Amino acid sequence: MQYRLSEEQYDLSSLLRLISESEHTYLKFLSANDLGLTGSHQAGLYISRDAWPLFFDRPGESGSNKEAPGLLRWPDGSTTKSVFKWYGSGGKSEYRLTRSLDFFKDREESFLGSLFILLKNRGEFSAFVLNSEGEIDSIMNFFGITPADTNCLLRFDLEERMRQEAAGFFVSIGKKFPDTEVFAKKAQEICRRLYRDRGEDPDETILRLMKIEYALFRFVEQEIYGHLLSRYFSSVDELLSVSLEINNRRKSRAGISLELHLSYLFDLAGLAYSRGETTEGNKRPDFIFPGIDRYRNPGFPRERLFFLGAKTTCKDRWRQIINEADRIPLKHLFTLQQGFSSSQLNEMHAEGVVCVLPVKYHRDCKIADRSRLVSLKEFIELVRNAGGEAETLFKNESGLPAVS
């Protein structure tokens, strides 16, 4: 059974308004560990270390524990007397929201991978859980974020070095919105230069790239549209026009960015591939390895062909890739979705779809299911070791742009 917000509880527009008005918003995808599905003795939802302002006036300290009560109100009208705990002794260093699992009782598996939202406003707490892909995407699109930007407090401030980079970038683009590829290339440059990250760990790099680009995007957006927040609009139509422009740009950015950053990592790895080329029925797979020419050549062994789809979320939309390349029966799908249930993975397996996730997201699934997941690094190695002449599988040059 799938849980979703009903009209009798909170509609999505009401939730978005509540988030916008809240002092603090915490977003996370529920993991198997959060819901007690791993056999772990840990109790409650894991909360990232940056979220201490939700309950405490200062961060927890090593060597001591502390806790604070909080009454959580759920969308079905129920409440739980939860406790926010800092575990700093006994070798631990983490926050947990305990006594909050009654809401999920006997439905834990159905909540795995759902988006948990915790709001604090005027000292009161509200909690929401979304597991409809449409609702989750609405939240992501409204704020212009991807799943890589969750599991933390929702905030838009930048560390100083990123603020300097973003300010310089804004000047260089003529103080106008560039297309997504310009954002992506700048994020890749910053990743190499500031973080000395050249894709040695592709699972970590893809997440870093998404975060850097999001920071750039939000800075440019604020510089261009920030003054409109205090401006008087002459008509409702004018207000809606600006709002629609902002929302559409946020909505279109994430998926394209993901493909561009994956392309960048495949170039670093020296893989040959085609992106967005047509196959049967004018379908356009995201990636074909070692390329569309090899795919269209009936003499090229199909066991050396690989397919990779790319979707930021795929609770339901993973089925869209099934018929995109008939010569490749086994489909790989890269996603930033977190917390797949056993039933979801069973469905994907039955349709010949293998889920590729950043390795840090593997632990969000049940222990028994993790062997069915592939990391981005493992996928790259799988393509690299497919066999055959090197020139058919790899590029002679990575195409990596120079860094000034």
Side-chain angles (χ1 to χ4, degrees):
M1 181 179 72
Q2 191 177 61
Y3 171 84
R4 65 193 306 277
L5 293 177
S6 71
E7 293 179 358
E8 292 76 27
Q9 295 158 6
Y10 284 100
D11 59 40
L12 197 58
S13 60
S14 297
L15 175 56
L16 290 170
R17 187 178 66 251
L18 285 172
I19 293 174
S20 299
E21 295 172 350
S22 293
E23 301 166 14
H24 294 294
T25 298
Y26 185 81
L27 305 174
K28 78 163 296 176
F29 285 89
L30 294 173
S31 70
N33 183 275
D34 290 325
L35 297 168
L37 296 173
T38 61
S40 170
H41 296 296
Q42 296 288 358
L45 307 181
Y46 173 82
I47 304 294
S48 67
R49 296 186 62 169
D50 80 320
W52 61 265
L54 281 167
F55 287 88
F56 299 132
D57 57 2
R58 63 178 184 272
E61 298 176 353
S62 177
S64 64
N65 300 333
K66 64 178 178 178
E67 62 183 52
L71 183 69
L72 266 61
R73 298 187 182 278
W74 298 88
D76 64 356
S78 64
T79 60
T80 54
K81 296 180 179 179
S82 299
V83 179
F84 191 63
K85 292 188 176 182
W86 161 252
Y87 295 96
S89 62
K92 295 182 179 179
S93 178
E94 65 182 30
Y95 292 100
R96 291 269 175 176
L97 183 62
T98 65
R99 302 182 190 176
S100 56
L101 297 181
D102 286 349
F103 183 79
F104 309 103
K105 189 173 179 58
D106 299 324
R107 297 179 291 171
E108 289 87 354
E109 178 81 14
S110 66
F111 281 108
L112 183 56
S114 298
L115 182 64
F116 172 72
I117 304 173
L118 179 62
L119 307 179
K120 181 181 182 181
N121 197 18
R122 298 179 182 177
E124 296 186 352
F125 298 91
S126 301
F128 301 85
V129 186
L130 307 181
N131 68 357
S132 158
E133 188 165 21
E135 290 171 340
I136 292 172
D137 283 350
S138 293
I139 296 292
M140 300 287 111
N141 294 336
F142 184 80
F143 292 104
I145 62 177
T146 74
D149 303 302
T150 62
N151 296 348
C152 60
L153 282 178
L154 185 64
R155 55 161 53 109
F156 306 119
D157 53 321
L158 297 178
E159 58 176 309
E160 186 56 32
R161 62 177 176 172
M162 268 304 301
R163 177 171 293 279
Q164 293 175 359
E165 290 286 342
F169 174 64
F170 185 56
V171 172
S172 73
I173 58 177
K175 301 182 179 181
K176 297 179 180 179
F177 254 110
D179 62 29
T180 303
E181 187 170 359
V182 175
F183 275 112
K185 287 183 176 179
K186 184 62 177 181
Q188 292 158 11
E189 175 197 325
I190 292 173
C191 190
R192 294 192 302 274
R193 183 160 43 81
L194 256 60
Y195 296 91
R196 304 300 179 194
D197 185 341
R198 299 178 65 86
E200 294 87 353
D201 183 350
D203 294 273
E204 191 63 32
T205 303
I206 191 69
L207 297 177
R208 175 170 285 160
L209 288 168
M210 298 297 287
K211 288 180 179 294
I212 292 172
E213 186 183 332
Y214 172 59
L216 290 173
F217 178 83
R218 288 293 305 198
F219 183 90
V220 172
E221 187 179 61
Q222 183 64 29
E223 290 296 306
I224 291 177
Y225 294 116
H227 69 285
L228 295 178
L229 298 176
S230 58
R231 180 188 137 190
Y232 173 75
F233 288 91
S234 60
S235 68
V236 173
D237 286 343
E238 185 183 6
L239 171 61
L240 291 177
S241 176
V242 173
S243 298
L244 188 61
E245 179 182 345
I246 293 173
N247 194 55
N248 284 343
R249 183 174 281 112
R250 290 177 176 183
K251 185 175 181 180
S252 65
R253 179 188 67 90
I256 299 173
S257 295
L258 182 60
E259 290 183 33
L260 291 171
H261 293 316
L262 286 171
S263 294
Y264 168 75
L265 290 172
F266 297 149
D267 287 341
L268 284 178
L271 301 184
Y273 62 91
S274 295
R275 173 175 166 247
E277 298 286 352
T278 58
T279 57
E280 303 84 1
N282 210 32
K283 297 291 182 64
R284 289 187 178 274
D286 295 322
F287 296 96
I288 295 288
F289 302 84
I292 194 64
D293 290 341
R294 298 293 187 268
Y295 180 85
R296 292 170 179 165
N297 178 2
F300 190 81
R302 75 173 189 174
E303 63 270 15
R304 285 167 51 195
L305 293 170
F306 292 89
F307 170 106
L308 183 71
K311 296 184 182 297
T312 53
T313 62
C314 65
K315 288 177 71 68
D316 303 309
R317 288 197 297 268
W318 61 268
R319 294 178 179 84
Q320 295 173 356
I321 72 169
I322 294 173
N323 299 314
E324 288 187 345
D326 294 346
R327 285 199 68 199
I328 308 175
L330 184 66
K331 306 292 197 300
H332 287 82
L333 176 60
F334 181 86
T335 182
L336 300 174
Q337 180 76 45
Q338 300 162 41
F340 284 90
S341 67
S342 298
S343 59
Q344 284 177 298
L345 291 173
N346 287 339
E347 287 183 53
M348 296 172 82
H349 179 76
E351 296 290 349
V353 175
V354 177
C355 196
V356 183
L357 290 174
V359 69
K360 69 181 294 185
Y361 292 165
H362 289 207
R363 61 175 178 262
D364 294 329
C365 296
K366 294 164 66 175
I367 294 173
D369 290 328
R370 295 173 191 173
S371 61
R372 297 195 283 180
L373 305 173
V374 174
S375 70
L376 183 56
K377 183 177 182 179
E378 288 171 331
F379 175 78
I380 289 172
E381 289 302 315
L382 179 66
V383 176
R384 174 178 283 134
N385 296 327
E389 298 83 1
E391 64 268 24
T392 65
L393 291 176
F394 304 102
K395 294 181 177 179
N396 291 327
E397 300 290 341
S398 70
L400 183 64
V403 179
S404 57

